[in-house]
């Protein structure tokens, strides 16, 4: 009976055109890939490898050195026997990079988001969340016992109304993505922080799609928008721009980080990060803090893709972010076009429900600092040909 029910549900997913296939890569992550089964010379436009550090020789070397010196893993959670000097060094480096008091490492930012709200908020408190926040924020909020408010996406009038309503609670926390991963838009942090100050609230941002490349020094949306001193808590990842391996973290006031070490369940009950992963991330941060040239190179490449695609007749969501969603609406169209793009040597992925709302299907293109102008132009040319073939362009 269970098998029949599951097979029926799977068939519904296939029938709706929202089946998600996993392509197998037979090479390192990078702007050009080899796929298992013979796909060679594929240009990759769907990775979160924003700075191109996933296969940077110094990052790889740092991982190997950490592996040789500190071993494969700790076989334990950190408070028992799972903290090494490199973990503490990386936490200090993260706090320094974000200009915060302290930081705590997690196995992923999903875990960081799952661990913070329950530890920080009680039934006396309130959390106010953007309706399009990442699934991990939504799940983390579900775990806590605070009073929950959801405001319309980046709608400051609605947020203010919810803040007024939440004044009866002891502590108010506004939670938002800094950069929204599905739409490529950036939270209006200046306005959020002004409202938070007006209504005596704290601000939390998830910076997974901002850390390393937004802002003059790549510190994220709070640096980009000039509110670093007004954002209380930052959660982010080591698995995207900062080396691309794995890991996440929370950075903020030291008493908060101390509390998370005592009460955050994903931290207390998960093995510490493998030394090789710590080595990768630490070297990535070193490279980033030595020079912002890599991060700054992305702006022109992002603008090149967005302007050329718009001129071709496509609608690109978001603004000035290397996440460039090509809006199509129909889930099946997004899936078929993505498959046809791969046949032309361009690796992109169609996104549909439940990853994005129904009727908002798109192909999400992500620009990396290591894409060449020729890579970008080839991608635009392929989109134009495929769009005309499938009726997405006139």
């Amino acid at each position: 009976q269970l098998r029949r029910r599951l097979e029926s549900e799977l068939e519904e997913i296939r029938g709706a055109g929202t089946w998600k296939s996993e392509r197998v890569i037979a090479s390192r992550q990078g702007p050009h890939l080899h796929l298992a089964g013979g796909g060679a010379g594929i240009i990759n436009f769907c990775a979160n490898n924003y700075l191109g550090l996933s296969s940077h020789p110094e990052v790889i070397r740092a991982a190997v050195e950490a592996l040789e010196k500190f071993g494969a893993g700790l076989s334990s959670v950190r408070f028992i026997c799972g903290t090494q000097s490199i973990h503490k060094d990386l936490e200090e480096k993260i706090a320094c990079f974000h200009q915060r008091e302290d930081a705590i490492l997690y196995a992923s930012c999903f875990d960081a988001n799952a661990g913070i709200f329950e530890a920080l908020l009680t039934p006396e408190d309130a959390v106010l969340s953007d309706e399009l926040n990442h699934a991990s924020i939504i799940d983390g909020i579900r775990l806590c016992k605070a009073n929950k408010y959801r405001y319309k996406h980046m709608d400051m009038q609605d947020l203010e109304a919810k803040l007024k309503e939440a004044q009866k609670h002891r502590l108010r926390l506004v939670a938002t993505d800094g950069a929204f991963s599905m739409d490529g838009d950036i939270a209006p942090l200046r306005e959020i922080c002004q409202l938070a100050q007006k209504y005596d609230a704290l601000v939390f941002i998830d910076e997974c799609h901002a850390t390393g490349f937004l802002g003059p020094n790549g510190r994220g949306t709070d640096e980009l928008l000039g509110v670093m001193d007004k954002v209380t808590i930052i959660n982010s990842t080591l698995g995207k721009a900062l080396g691309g391996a794995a890991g996440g973290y929370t950075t903020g006031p030291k008493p908060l980080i101390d509390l998370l070490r005592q009460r955050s369940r994903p931290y207390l009950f998960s093995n510490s990060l493998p030394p090789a992963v710590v080595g990768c991330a630490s070297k990535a941060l070193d490279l980033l803090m030595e020079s912002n040239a890599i991060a700054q190179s992305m702006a022109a490449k992002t603008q090149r893709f967005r302007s050329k695609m718009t001129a071709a007749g496509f609608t690109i969501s978001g603004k000035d972010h290397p996440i460039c969603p090509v809006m199509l609406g129909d889930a099946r169209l997004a899936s078929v076009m993505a498959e046809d793009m791969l046949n032309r040597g361009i690796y992109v992925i169609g996104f549909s429900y439940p990853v994005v709302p129904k009727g908002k299907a798109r192909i999400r293109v992500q620009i990396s600092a290591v894409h060449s102008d020729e890579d970008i132009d080839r991608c635009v040319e392929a989109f134009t040909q495929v769009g005309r073939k499938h009726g997405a362009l006139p």
Side-chain angles (χ1 to χ4, degrees):
Q1 185 180 6
L2 173 64
R3 180 179 293 273
R4 286 197 301 272
R5 183 176 66 79
L6 295 176
E7 288 176 346
S8 175
E9 189 170 341
L10 292 171
E11 193 56 42
E12 287 177 9
I13 296 172
R14 292 188 185 92
T18 58
W19 184 265
K20 295 159 189 65
S21 300
E22 296 182 5
R23 293 168 182 153
V24 180
I25 298 172
S27 64
R28 293 179 178 180
Q29 180 63 276
H32 299 91
L33 299 174
H34 290 263
L35 299 182
I42 304 297
I43 306 177
N44 182 16
F45 278 96
C46 60
N48 299 313
N49 186 26
Y50 294 110
L51 300 179
L53 298 180
S54 294
S55 54
H56 191 287
E58 291 187 48
V59 172
I60 294 172
R61 191 177 308 118
V64 172
E65 291 173 357
L67 180 66
E68 291 177 341
K69 182 175 181 179
F70 293 100
L74 278 298
S75 306
S76 181
V77 301
R78 283 182 63 175
F79 82 95
I80 299 175
C81 60
T83 293
Q84 293 172 318
S85 57
I86 52 172
H87 295 91
K88 301 304 293 183
D89 291 345
L90 179 55
E91 287 169 337
E92 290 178 12
K93 197 174 292 187
I94 289 168
C96 177
F97 176 70
H98 285 285
Q99 299 181 0
R100 296 307 198 272
E101 293 178 10
D102 202 357
I104 179 173
L105 291 171
Y106 286 88
S108 69
C109 191
F110 205 113
D111 277 348
N113 286 341
I116 188 164
F117 300 103
E118 185 180 25
L120 178 63
L121 303 175
T122 75
E124 298 179 60
D125 304 317
V127 57
L128 302 94
S129 176
D130 187 294
E131 65 180 349
L132 293 188
N133 275 340
H134 191 268
S136 58
I137 298 176
I138 294 169
D139 285 358
I141 289 172
R142 284 173 175 163
L143 290 171
C144 80
K145 294 182 172 63
N147 299 274
K148 302 168 181 66
Y149 297 80
R150 187 174 67 172
Y151 63 92
K152 296 175 183 175
H153 182 48
M154 302 201 308
D155 186 327
M156 295 299 96
Q157 286 187 327
D158 194 36
L159 174 57
E160 182 166 21
K162 298 295 194 302
L163 280 166
K164 288 179 179 177
E165 187 179 347
Q167 286 301 291
K168 58 194 174 186
H169 305 298
R170 181 188 65 171
L171 183 151
R172 291 156 295 283
L173 178 69
V174 180
T176 181
D177 280 349
F180 290 85
S181 61
M182 289 299 121
D183 293 278
D185 46 6
I186 296 170
L189 283 184
R190 290 194 192 100
E191 293 82 357
I192 289 173
C193 290
Q194 288 169 359
L195 287 173
Q197 187 172 12
K198 181 178 179 180
Y199 292 98
D200 191 24
L202 304 175
V203 178
F204 161 97
I205 54 175
D206 178 313
E207 289 283 78
C208 286
H209 292 275
T211 298
F213 57 94
L214 288 189
N217 300 291
R219 290 189 171 93
T221 54
D222 61 337
E223 183 187 48
L224 176 71
L225 298 174
V227 292
M228 289 186 70
D229 60 334
K230 294 180 173 61
V231 173
T232 306
I233 307 165
I234 293 173
N235 276 12
S236 194
T237 183
L238 306 171
K240 293 182 171 55
L242 301 184
Y249 58 86
T250 297
T251 185
K254 189 176 189 313
L256 169 65
I257 304 304
D258 289 343
L259 180 68
L260 293 175
R261 293 192 195 280
Q262 302 302 312
R263 291 188 178 171
S264 180
R265 290 166 69 85
Y267 177 81
L268 289 170
F269 297 102
S270 296
N271 269 22
S272 54
L273 275 181
V277 172
V278 177
C280 280
S282 186
K283 176 53 68 174
L285 275 170
D286 288 343
L287 293 171
L288 190 56
M289 289 192 280
E290 286 169 8
S291 170
N292 65 355
I294 301 176
Q296 293 305 309
S297 73
M298 292 190 60
K301 294 177 181 181
T302 298
Q303 179 58 31
R304 184 184 189 93
F305 179 81
R306 284 180 170 271
S307 61
K308 287 191 171 231
M309 286 291 285
T310 301
F314 288 101
T315 298
I316 310 298
S317 180
K319 182 182 178 183
D320 301 331
H321 194 284
I323 291 174
C324 304
V326 182
M327 304 304 293
L328 298 169
D330 181 78
R332 190 177 296 278
L333 175 63
S335 177
V336 169
M337 281 184 59
E339 194 64 35
D340 212 351
M341 290 286 288
L342 184 61
N343 294 334
R344 296 164 193 262
I346 306 295
Y347 186 5
V348 290
I349 294 292
F351 285 74
S352 56
Y353 181 82
V355 180
V356 296
K358 289 182 179 179
K360 299 286 186 179
R362 82 258 338 241
I363 293 176
R364 189 179 72 174
V365 175
Q366 291 173 269
I367 306 299
S368 171
V370 288
H371 282 131
S372 67
D373 288 348
E374 291 76 15
D375 292 337
I376 292 169
D377 293 348
R378 272 192 60 189
C379 184
V380 173
E381 181 182 359
F383 259 113
T384 303
Q385 293 171 355
V386 171
R388 287 174 180 158
K389 175 182 175 181
H390 294 284
L393 290 179

